[in-house]
Amino acid sequence: DTAVSQTPKYLVTQMGNDKSIKCEQNLGHDTMYWYKQDSKKFLKIMFSYNNKELIINETVPNRFSPKSPDKAHLNLHINSLELGDSAVYFCASSRGLGYGYTFGSGTRLTVV
Amino acid sequence: KNQVEQSPQSLIILEGKNCTLQCNYTVSPFSNLRWYKQDTGRGPVSLTIMTFSENTKSNGRYTATLDADTKQSSLHITASQLSDSASYICVVSTKTGNQFYFGTGTSLTVIP
């Protein structure tokens, strides 16, 4: 019973393509997040949704668009992929603002 | 500026030995500090959470300390095992605005 599941685990794609990463949590959490982990292992928040409402939107290119159809899902769509988008993207969820995270296992995106 | 710095960046120890990882932060106003363990190819998993009034907290062979005056935390691992090989990430959160600040992590390798 995976608590936070991301798909796909690996994604290799060419520059200029559009791709989506899906995230689902079965913990009943109200808040979900997307993080980007760079090559130096630094985790940086991208977006946060609380009950389907966007509450954190850090400075990321507008090529990145999160979509939350319900509070158990937070998908990340990326348009016109660039080489610099290559990274591991982590989805996470929490009971609410200020509570600890449960992370997904990550999606390794490679843009060639 | 709110920052979280960890040291050392990487560490190699023999199985059975103890080690201590450091986390220094300048985050304010402080709410709590968490240590996460991230296995290769996996998402971070919470080890401990410490609030302002807590000095020490243990989780099995992991013991975290917090000195709120000097804004330092340490994670001590006792009798290390091969499965302890992972990245350890320190995360500090603020009381306002649900801000989480991630350290860059310490990569620990335990060798037989």
Side-chain angles (χ1 to χ4, degrees), chain A residues 42-106:
Chain A
F42 183 69
L43 277 158
K44 185 174 181 179
I45 192 167
M46 300 173 70
F47 303 102
S48 175
Y49 269 72
N50 189 49
N51 276 322
K52 296 169 49 181
E53 181 181 344
L54 181 65
I55 55 171
I56 294 176
N57 184 5
E58 293 297 309
T59 305
V60 298
N62 57 15
R63 298 181 293 105
F64 291 78
S65 55
K67 287 183 173 54
S68 181
D70 54 61
K71 75 173 191 178
H73 296 83
L74 181 60
N75 304 323
L76 183 65
H77 189 76
I78 315 170
N79 290 327
S80 303
L81 279 156
E82 300 177 357
L83 294 177
D85 297 332
S86 296
V88 181
Y89 292 84
F90 283 98
C91 176
S93 71
S94 67
R95 286 170 53 193
L97 302 181
Y99 288 88
Y101 297 146
T102 300
F103 282 88
S105 57

Side-chain angles (χ1 to χ4, degrees), chain A residues 35 37 42 90 97-98 100-101 104, chain B residues 34 36 38 41 43-44 98 100 102:
Chain A
Y35 278 83
Q37 187 173 45
F42 183 69
F90 283 98
L97 302 181
Y101 297 146
Chain B
R34 294 180 172 91
Y36 284 85
Q38 184 177 12
N98 187 38
F100 287 82
F102 286 74

